[in-house]
Amino acid sequence: MTIDHPVALAPAERAVRLLGGDLTEKALALHLDGLAGVDAVGLEQRAAGLATRSIKTSSKAWALDTIIRTCDLTTLEGADTPGKVRSLVAKAVTPDATDPTTPRVAAVCVYGDMVPYVVEALGSLHGDPDAGLVSVAAVATAFPSGRASLDIKLADTREAVAAGADEIDMVIDRGAFLSGRYGLVFDQIVAVKEACRRPDGTYAHLKVILETGELVTYDNVKRASWLAILAGADFIKTSTGKVSPAATLPVTLLMLEVIRDWHRLTGEKVGMKPAGGIRASKDAVRYLVTVAETVGEEWLTPHLWRFGASSLVNDVLLQRQKLRTGHYSGPDYVTVD
């Protein structure tokens, strides 16, 4: 990427610290294009090796509970209704009515116009998932395509935050990123981050969706991960769940390695959320192992790790019930999302 003249960027704190006070698009491009290339074979071999790791039976109950506790229970359909959202909230709060020891999920993730219904349905259980409560997450910025003006993206975000969203899942402009307009993508993330600001000065947490299935190469995923973190992302997230491939273990590993490198460089912890395509408990456990081996078990809390899923919880509940009773229940044991 070549930029003939310096274009000033929004002075995001992290980028200023890393790249210097004279923050320009050229400086950002030089940093991103100067990152070491990804060894695709090596990455996929590391991911395959992690996928073969097993966990002890004594750890399985902990793993299943951790999956539930770090799951964003999600419905993002054009046919969503207040009634469907209320049912999802009921499941988020009480995933298994037959077992009161089942933890609550981390968050309920919906479109922005559904946020008020989630807030109302949660009532006193709306709050910090690290404290056993349930957060409200909203997709924004013209999800899933991201094809809208910045004004519309910011209005989308502000409306969701004003309605009570604790977390915003935004999408980057993949067209701009793939054409090398890193500065535009960067400035939009910074602007959305500011739109997450509440009247009391606190911020809704910002998850930045890269839509890795459209980024084509591992090198692009690495650059986009760095860009999102530099612009202020609290979490980086693989996918919308609307594009195939969605989350994969190699891509998640690569993004976790960027998070690890950022933490080693700055001491700051950034969260990670794989989303889309993770439906079975055994697959989710592989992701937990990958997190533990790459950034450490301290990341396995709702504050730093999430699964974006709609059907994963059902399989986890079945596995959890088998662990408790020694057998599976019938198909009506779990709710149909």
Side-chain angles (χ1 to χ4, degrees):
M1 175 181 176
T2 302
I3 297 173
D4 296 326
H5 59 284
V7 178
L9 299 178
E13 181 184 347
R14 288 174 178 167
V16 168
R17 275 192 276 123
L18 186 68
L19 304 178
D22 184 23
L23 187 59
T24 64
E25 187 167 14
K26 182 176 182 180
L28 178 65
L30 285 172
H31 175 74
L32 296 179
D33 289 337
L35 294 170
V38 178
D39 174 3
V41 173
L43 176 69
E44 290 171 0
Q45 285 179 342
R46 290 196 300 280
L50 289 165
T52 64
R53 302 275 182 92
S54 59
I55 60 172
K56 297 176 182 177
T57 303
S58 59
S59 299
K60 190 170 183 181
W62 170 85
L64 294 174
D65 281 1
T66 299
I67 294 166
I68 297 172
R69 195 177 289 115
T70 59
C71 192
D72 286 358
L73 202 57
T74 302
T75 183
L76 297 169
E77 302 298 334
D80 285 344
T81 64
K84 181 179 180 183
V85 166
R86 290 188 189 102
S87 295
L88 198 68
V89 171
K91 182 174 180 177
V93 169
T94 310
D96 185 350
T98 72
D99 183 359
T101 69
T102 308
R104 300 184 180 112
V105 303
V108 174
C109 185
V110 294
Y111 278 111
D113 63 325
M114 293 286 120
V115 166
Y117 302 107
V118 180
V119 172
E120 178 187 22
L122 281 173
S124 63
L125 295 177
H126 177 196
D128 184 354
D130 281 322
L133 302 174
V134 180
S135 282
V136 180
V139 295
T141 64
F143 176 99
S145 69
R147 299 258 56 87
S149 69
L150 180 58
D151 285 346
I152 289 174
K153 292 178 181 182
L154 298 181
D156 199 15
T157 302
R158 292 189 189 107
E159 182 178 333
V161 173
D166 308 291
E167 305 167 8
I168 294 296
D169 290 35
M170 71 163 289
V171 289
I172 67 166
D173 184 333
R174 283 86 75 189
F177 179 86
L178 290 170
S179 61
R181 291 177 289 159
Y182 301 147
L184 186 151
V185 180
F186 179 92
D187 278 348
Q188 288 199 357
I189 296 172
V190 174
V192 173
K193 175 83 170 182
E194 189 56 32
C196 290
R197 183 183 175 97
R198 305 185 185 97
D200 66 359
T202 62
Y203 287 79
H205 282 196
L206 181 62
K207 306 192 199 93
V208 178
I209 305 170
L210 308 184
E211 199 66 292
T212 54
E214 291 184 343
L215 295 186
V216 185
T217 69
Y218 290 134
D219 285 343
N220 279 339
V221 172
K222 184 175 181 178
R223 290 188 193 102
S225 298
W226 272 96
L227 187 156
I229 291 172
L230 287 170
D234 296 301
F235 270 71
I236 51 176
K237 177 177 171 181
T238 59
S239 323
T240 62
K242 306 294 186 182
V243 168
S244 183
T248 68
L249 202 59
V251 161
T252 301
L253 172 59
L254 173 58
M255 293 170 69
L256 285 167
E257 288 175 346
V258 172
I259 288 170
R260 177 200 63 200
D261 293 347
W262 177 257
H263 181 246
R264 287 175 177 173
L265 184 66
T266 68
E268 292 181 346
K269 295 176 180 177
V270 174
M272 174 68 202
K273 179 178 175 180
I278 306 170
R279 298 182 178 88
S281 301
K282 63 181 180 180
D283 294 328
V285 167
R286 291 176 181 133
Y287 281 83
L288 297 185
V289 171
T290 300
V291 174
E293 293 291 328
T294 307
V295 289
E297 288 187 21
E298 63 193 290
W299 253 261
L300 292 175
T301 69
H303 188 64
L304 291 168
W305 173 260
R306 299 288 178 86
F307 287 103
S310 55
S311 58
L312 173 61
V313 170
N314 282 346
D315 188 64
V316 176
L317 292 176
L318 287 171
Q319 300 302 325
R320 198 174 181 277
Q321 197 252 7
K322 182 176 186 294
L323 202 63
R324 191 175 83 249
T325 66
H327 60 83
Y328 289 111
S329 290
D332 58 350
Y333 175 70
V334 294
T335 58
V336 178
D337 298 324

